[in-house]
Amino acid sequence: MTDRSVSGASTLALATLAIHGGRAHAAPGDAVVQPLVQSVNHVQPVGTADGVLYTRYANTPNAQIVQRRIAMLEGAESSLVLASGMGATSCTMLSLLRPGDHLVTSNWIYGGTRKLFDHELPAMGVTVTSVDPTESRGWRRAITKQTRVIFLESPVNPTTRVLDMRPLTALAKESGIALVVDATFASPINFRPLEHGADVVIHSATKYLNGHHDILAGVVSGTESMVDEVRQKMMVWGQAPDPFALWLLERGLKTLDVRVRRQNQSAMRVAEWAQSHPAIARVHYPGLESHPDHALARETLDGFGGMLALELAAGGDATPQVLERLRLITHAPSLGGVDSLVSEPRYTSHAHMTPEARAAIGIPDGFLRFSIGLEDPDDLIADLAQALE
Ligand SMILES: Cc1ncc(COP(=O)(O)O)c(C=O)c1O
């Protein structure tokens, strides 16, 4: 029988893979939409330990299809979906690091990841060194004989800085170190780190991959053996996703390409408009020539993304007034969904830092992070204009 499933190496475009990747070809009478199988347990073959399907193992039907699809989008051998983005990062670190090992991380990372690296890993006997990611010699200096992992996030939350992975891939390869990249801000439509030499890519699937603000999930992609190690940790640390979240994630993926492309365009429009607004001191968006990493972003990303940040000229005292006047753009944490959101990192991801420490990494008071959604960009601009009046 001819295998007509959409799997394995594929020449299909990302938009097509996002809809069909990893699914079996439907036979007459089959549902067009993958059914939700909420059952935790499944009938087991007699006389063998193989073929056990269980929700905590993330191998039930809704998990399998979405994992195959994400692997195809990333160009990975394998992907694993976990209960959250933090579950994905934690289980990846648990699988790569042992007591006595060393992790080198970019200083510019999401606040939750920061807590994991600053508190949880050291409590397990792992040492952690943070480096300024723009100083390429800093990475090399930080490496020791015990270094097992280099971690970075790109584009960076919330500054939208884009990091150059090239010096790091060479360094990681020559020293046998795993290079792990959190590419949540980009989604695989805009950036696929495995194509640039990363060993593992992590996403908070809560964000662009699902895209509708209604599930929590994370994903790890890489080689089969690497992903299998993460799976072992996920199973015992109880980090598997729920079938309904997986079903919603698969549904969200179908529109990933069209959503992200539209968000790229709309964010560019808003960023260009904001550049000349007198109430805005600075616009952070990789698509603007004024962005410090614009040339690198042009070279390595397929799109500049839906995330941007604005610094109010009036500083931190002006933010409550602006946020309260916004009518369409919602003041809420998280990102990557259909609704446009705004948040103040000083009260969310970077609340644990002093104002001085935040300013030192490019997040002064008055810094607002925007996740541009799918509304008409003219309406978003009008909303911002009236709020800034
Ligand atoms: C860049 C980045 N990585 C990881 C996470 C963690 O994801 P989750 O909230 O799904 O655990 C977040 C959450 O905001 C994030 O922004």
Side-chain angles (χ1 to χ4, degrees), residues 84-86 110 113 153 157 182 184-185 204 206-207 216-217 335:
S84 67
M86 283 311 301
Y110 166 65
T113 315
E153 187 180 296
N157 179 18
D182 179 337
T184 298
F185 257 42
S204 165
T206 311
K207 314 297 188 315
L216 202 61
L335 60 114

Side-chain angles (χ1 to χ4, degrees), residues 79-136:
S79 293
L80 177 70
V81 178
L82 299 96
S84 67
M86 283 311 301
T89 308
S90 304
C91 289
T92 301
M93 294 306 143
L94 285 169
S95 73
L96 289 170
L97 295 162
R98 303 277 174 277
D101 287 348
H102 178 229
L103 163 78
V104 179
T105 176
S106 160
N107 220 350
W108 299 345
I109 51 174
Y110 166 65
T113 315
R114 181 87 266 163
K115 283 186 196 154
L116 173 71
F117 291 174
D118 284 356
H119 304 293
E120 304 304 320
L121 294 185
M124 296 169 69
V126 172
T127 51
V128 178
T129 304
S130 298
V131 302
D132 175 342
T134 55
E135 226 197 285
S136 59

Side-chain angles (χ1 to χ4, degrees), residues 40 53-60 231-232 234-241:
V40 163
L53 302 185
Y54 189 54
T55 297
R56 186 163 45 79
Y57 301 171
N59 62 358
T60 55
R231 190 190 321 276
Q232 302 310 317
M234 176 205 69
M235 282 160 56
V236 290
W237 288 83
Q239 285 299 312

Side-chain angles (χ1 to χ4, degrees), residues 209-210 212 247-256 259:
L209 295 177
N210 170 61
H212 292 75
W247 186 86
L248 285 171
L249 176 56
E250 195 229 329
R251 182 195 182 117
L253 280 177
K254 288 181 190 243
T255 54
L256 179 68
R259 280 188 284 110

